[in-house]
Amino acid sequence: MRPLTNYQTINDVDGRPAFVVIPYADFVHSQVYVPKDGAPHAVVSKAINGMSMLQAWREYLMLTQEEMAKRMEITQAGYAQIEAAKRPRKATLEKAAAAMGITLEQLAYYIV
């Protein structure tokens, strides 16, 4: 997750911080639950319906292909090819998992 940089603090009558206002998109990103192992129901459901685990995780984490590409230090077109591949290379999946903050096992591609 990215650190919050765009927020406003609202103080109480004594001048102490009482509330913080953040952009809605940052709030939504902060609410994503990433388990230490396994995959959330939302990810598994998308995969069962034919979506790749890579795309399912990316969408669950509310990341765009462009954001994933930047995290992996590749182009968006390159990332799109990885996501569309039926069986991406293990090294590529390791890099993608690290970019999303999950384990390779959570992508569950290579388990047969």
Side-chain angles (χ1 to χ4, degrees):
M1 300 262 177
R2 4 171 222 207
L4 291 177
T5 57
N6 185 19
Y7 62 90
Q8 176 185 6
T9 304
I10 300 173
N11 296 329
D12 64 15
V13 293
D14 297 322
R16 292 178 299 213
F19 301 95
V20 175
V21 179
I22 62 173
Y24 184 73
D26 290 342
F27 169 75
V28 169
H29 275 124
S30 72
Q31 301 305 305
V32 175
Y33 168 70
V34 180
K36 293 185 191 234
D37 59 359
H41 175 72
V43 172
V44 175
S45 293
K46 288 179 179 193
I48 288 172
N49 289 324
M51 185 180 286
S52 73
M53 285 294 283
L54 191 57
Q55 182 179 356
W57 268 105
R58 179 182 58 77
E59 289 184 5
Y60 175 76
L61 296 171
M62 293 176 265
L63 297 168
T64 65
Q65 286 188 345
E66 184 69 30
E67 289 170 322
M68 277 297 295
K70 284 181 184 174
R71 289 178 180 205
M72 294 176 68
E73 299 178 344
I74 60 175
T75 65
Q76 182 276 327
Y79 178 78
Q81 288 179 340
I82 293 166
E83 197 170 271
K86 290 190 184 235
R87 202 151 170 92
R89 293 178 44 224
K90 185 176 179 181
T92 302
L93 291 173
E94 288 171 340
K95 193 171 181 180
M100 289 189 278
I102 62 174
T103 66
L104 180 62
E105 290 78 18
Q106 287 174 298
L107 284 176
Y109 266 93
Y110 67 97
I111 301 171
V112 180

